[in-house]
Amino acid sequence: MGFLADAAEVVILSFLYDCLVDYWDLSTSTGDLIVSCVFVGEMVGALIAGPLADKYGRRLVSISSMFIISAGGLASAAASDVLIFILLRSFVGVGIGCFVIPFDLCAEMTPRPWRGFVLTAVNFWWGLGSLFCVWAAWVVLGSGGSWRMLCVICAIPCFLNFLCMTFLPESPRWLLARGRVEEAEKTIKLMARWNGVEMPPLSLKPVSLADETASVSEVLATPARRKKFGLLGVAWCGMGFCFYGTSFMLTRVYATTDDDETCSFDYGFLFAIYTSEFWGILYLLYQIDAMGRPLSNITNYCASAVFVLLLGTSSSNISSLAFGYGALLTVNAAATATWVMTPELFDTKVRSTVHAMLTAASRVAAFFSSYWVDSSVGIFEVGLLLAVVNVVAGVAAFNLPDTRDAKLR
């Protein structure tokens, strides 16, 4: 459900941009800040959350992230001017940037044979969140309602998820890595009871704490580790640029403005397009283990490159729907494949720190994608750059180790 809340607060940016430019009579550069400020907040949030989660635990940061998103989302609905709105949406971005931590928590709690399937399947909630936001925009904006009400509605799943996350246990892997063996055993027994499993006597082996203070610089000390982090950095930057760029491109293709300055969109088209995210995840559920992580990445990134390039040359609603559908389906599958392999490549002591650094890098790329897509550049040029970046991200991910059979360390 956390991915639903995250998606709703991201997809809403496409609607808020057009609506608030009209509402406050903003310049293009100021309007771009409505979108880009969230990505700046995400970058800051990720850089803060990673080290905190590795030092103080996954659970605390996960709960905090949902509180920040829901509080910021609700407060932004009452913003009296664009400056306050931008500050509050930046606060929302900080919470979204922290959301890499619950994903790592999920990875650390899932047995190896099911890890690829489960980490892929949780992204179904992202697709549901996208559809929820489009539906909410249609109900509110489509009937002449206020963008403020849209902000409130999209913040509701965040608040509900905040309440649900208070029941989350701590990661037993993290507890064990911190030497808290007894707590790790209690957590595993609790999970067994939730799953209706009768546990045999359990006695976990203590972990040596000689390298407890291992830092990111130590993890990247060898050439092999630097290469792995560098390739992931390219993949994550490409993923951030292309995933968000594709969504913004689709909204640009089908956005209109009425004479009475009430923002208007082709909601039927957007709803149909965002169903593609479900099919992308369904396809990846088979692909992620059968083909492996690297091949799953490059296949979907390159497919997305083709579709987004065709979208940039499309001249009819039918072809735009087909190419847009394919572009969003494949870029979502590619992004998910990149997410799945990342926590598998680093050990527990630094997993969240490194993952958060990569997330921050992807938000920098997303920041620039919002300016690129909403600039005066032609739609073909927008599609061309997205296609090139897709290919670069796919090649980078393809050169990483296949982690489908890897044990989390």
Side-chain angles (χ1 to χ4, degrees), residues 97 115 209:
R115 193 170 61 232
L209 301 182

Side-chain angles (χ1 to χ4, degrees), residues 289-304:
D289 285 322
M291 295 177 62
R293 306 333 189 212
L295 191 56
S296 297
N297 272 272
I298 195 170
T299 300
N300 287 294
Y301 277 118
C302 289
S304 178

Side-chain angles (χ1 to χ4, degrees), residues 127-140:
L128 188 59
S130 298
L131 294 178
F132 172 80
C133 185
V134 174
W135 170 81
W138 171 65
V139 170
V140 177

